[in-house]
Amino acid sequence: MATLKDVAVLAGVSVKTVSNVVNGYAFVKPENRRRVENALVATGYRPNIGARNLRRGRTGFIALVVPELSIPYFGELAGGVIAAAAERDWNVLIEQTQGDRDRERETIAALGSHMVDGAIVSPQAVETADVAMPGVPVVLLGEHPLALPLDHVGIDNVTAAYTATRHLLDLGRRRIAVIGQHPTRGTATQRLAGYRRALAEAGLPEIVASAMRYHHRDGAEAMTDLLALPDPPDAVFCFNDMLALGAIRAAVDRGCRVPDDIAVVGFDNTEHSAYSVPALTTIAPDKAALARAAVDLVHRRASGDTDLPPQDVQIPFALAVRESTTP
């Protein structure tokens, strides 16, 4: 492999000048820069990223810790984090915990400056007492109630759930169920609160179905139980798109028309939601903005900005109205 010295000899300049060009320093004479750039192409020189990061005191990696990559929201979020991290010359190490408390605790405890420059963590089951503060900057995603002095990026889940339920009320639905209640998920608690607020304002009863996991099967099973009620719902708000798509499948299998007999709203606006039949109405958080905000906060902390108090960044959302509520 070509070295800086090889490039310097071919260009007729010093090794220091070649280093300045490679590292993007502005104060290089135009003629010298042109000669170095030509020599770089001629020699096929490639910088040693690992060595460069070591000189800067960086590893060149950040971690992304999520419950399940098989859930499309987290897969799409990972893509956004990878894109945002690349703009900062970072690679991304991804760990999935399956929402297991021990796995989350062990993964967070293992974060250190010898491995990564920072981490973005979406906790689901770990508790505050389980977490020892890691030796690198950490940004939390979602609404899990960890009382730790860490940066946080998320959306207003209460308002988002209220918006989804209000949409169903405005369509004239009066028996609105919810699928997704969970004993430990912070996002579930927040979304249930928004749903309840909307129904309380309308003076209507709650119909709550639990889901221990947020997969298609869980949504289908919950919908089957709801449709077996003596007075089944005429609308369902689901806490993610996978639950909603499973719910639609179960409703159609039982002869229900969506949305004529039962309207369905999801949450996350994953790519699948726009291509289901019917296309799914869903809460659409700005996932790209969420990923950028999280990476920017990690970068800010990793660059030495430790005096700033923990930040709570709220990302906007919208309601994507599609065929599952308005044919």
Side-chain angles (χ1 to χ4, degrees), residues 179-240:
I179 296 176
Q181 183 182 40
H182 193 281
T184 62
R185 291 177 189 247
T187 50
T189 301
Q190 298 275 334
R191 293 171 191 178
L192 187 61
Y195 161 81
R196 283 175 166 162
R197 190 178 95 195
L199 287 189
E201 289 179 359
L204 295 174
E206 301 171 8
I207 309 170
V208 179
S210 298
M212 295 310 295
R213 301 185 74 186
Y214 281 14
H215 293 176
H216 295 121
R217 179 187 296 274
D218 303 275
E221 290 175 350
M223 179 64 98
T224 299
D225 292 340
L226 290 170
L227 293 176
L229 293 173
D231 192 4
D234 59 8
V236 176
F237 167 43
C238 300
F239 286 176
N240 83 343

Side-chain angles (χ1 to χ4, degrees), residues 76 155 159-168 171 236-238 240-241 244-245 248 259 263-276 278-287 316-327:
E76 293 178 12
I155 72 167
T159 302
Y162 176 88
T163 300
T165 310
R166 188 70 253 174
H167 170 64
L168 293 169
L171 293 173
V236 176
F237 167 43
C238 300
N240 83 343
D241 288 349
L245 295 177
I248 289 174
V264 180
V265 177
F267 203 114
D268 290 338
N269 194 35
T270 54
E271 184 179 8
H272 301 73
S273 65
Y275 295 95
S276 63
L280 180 64
T281 294
T282 181
I283 293 291
D286 190 338
K287 293 187 284 291
F317 69 88
L319 178 67
V321 178
R322 301 192 181 108
E323 298 160 350
S324 68
T325 58
T326 55

Side-chain angles (χ1 to χ4, degrees), residues 17-305:
T17 298
V18 176
S19 178
N20 287 343
V21 173
V22 170
N23 287 290
Y25 295 135
F27 302 108
V28 178
K29 294 179 180 179
E31 175 59 21
N32 285 346
R33 182 181 298 278
R34 183 188 63 79
R35 289 159 64 184
V36 169
E37 289 173 347
N38 289 340
L40 288 169
V41 173
T43 59
Y45 174 81
R46 294 291 183 273
N48 186 327
I49 302 299
R52 178 189 295 178
N53 285 330
L54 286 174
R55 288 194 298 271
R56 296 176 177 176
R58 292 175 51 178
T59 66
F61 291 90
I62 61 171
L64 173 63
V65 182
V66 297
E68 291 184 73
L69 287 171
S70 61
I71 293 180
Y73 171 80
F74 291 114
E76 293 178 12
L77 176 66
V81 169
I82 290 170
E87 297 175 3
R88 301 287 190 177
D89 292 325
W90 268 324
N91 293 304
V92 181
L93 301 176
I94 301 176
E95 177 71 28
Q96 60 176 358
T97 63
Q98 300 298 328
D100 178 75
R101 180 178 175 183
D102 290 336
R103 185 86 171 268
E104 289 183 349
R105 178 176 59 240
E106 292 165 2
T107 300
I108 295 172
L111 297 173
S113 58
H114 63 292
M115 291 181 57
V116 294
D117 299 322
I120 299 169
V121 180
S122 180
Q124 199 168 91
V126 72
E127 297 182 3
T128 301
D130 298 332
V131 181
M133 291 294 287
V136 296
V138 171
V139 174
L140 298 177
L141 302 180
E143 302 300 335
H144 192 71
L146 289 178
L148 295 170
L150 297 172
D151 295 321
H152 168 259
V153 179
I155 72 167
D156 185 343
N157 278 280
V158 175
T159 302
Y162 176 88
T163 300
T165 310
R166 188 70 253 174
H167 170 64
L168 293 169
L169 289 167
D170 291 343
L171 293 173
R173 308 294 170 141
R174 289 298 177 264
R175 284 191 52 77
I176 302 172
V178 70
I179 296 176
Q181 183 182 40
H182 193 281
T184 62
R185 291 177 189 247
T187 50
T189 301
Q190 298 275 334
R191 293 171 191 178
L192 187 61
Y195 161 81
R196 283 175 166 162
R197 190 178 95 195
L199 287 189
E201 289 179 359
L204 295 174
E206 301 171 8
I207 309 170
V208 179
S210 298
M212 295 310 295
R213 301 185 74 186
Y214 281 14
H215 293 176
H216 295 121
R217 179 187 296 274
D218 303 275
E221 290 175 350
M223 179 64 98
T224 299
D225 292 340
L226 290 170
L227 293 176
L229 293 173
D231 192 4
D234 59 8
V236 176
F237 167 43
C238 300
F239 286 176
N240 83 343
D241 288 349
M242 291 184 77
L243 290 172
L245 295 177
I248 289 174
R249 178 75 263 174
V252 171
D253 285 348
R254 280 149 189 81
C256 294
R257 297 166 300 164
V258 178
D260 303 73
D261 300 322
I262 186 163
V264 180
V265 177
F267 203 114
D268 290 338
N269 194 35
T270 54
E271 184 179 8
H272 301 73
S273 65
Y275 295 95
S276 63
V277 179
L280 180 64
T281 294
T282 181
I283 293 291
D286 190 338
K287 293 187 284 291
L290 189 150
R292 284 195 305 271
V295 171
D296 287 347
L297 279 170
V298 172
H299 183 265
R300 186 171 184 174
R301 300 298 185 186
S303 299
D305 191 350

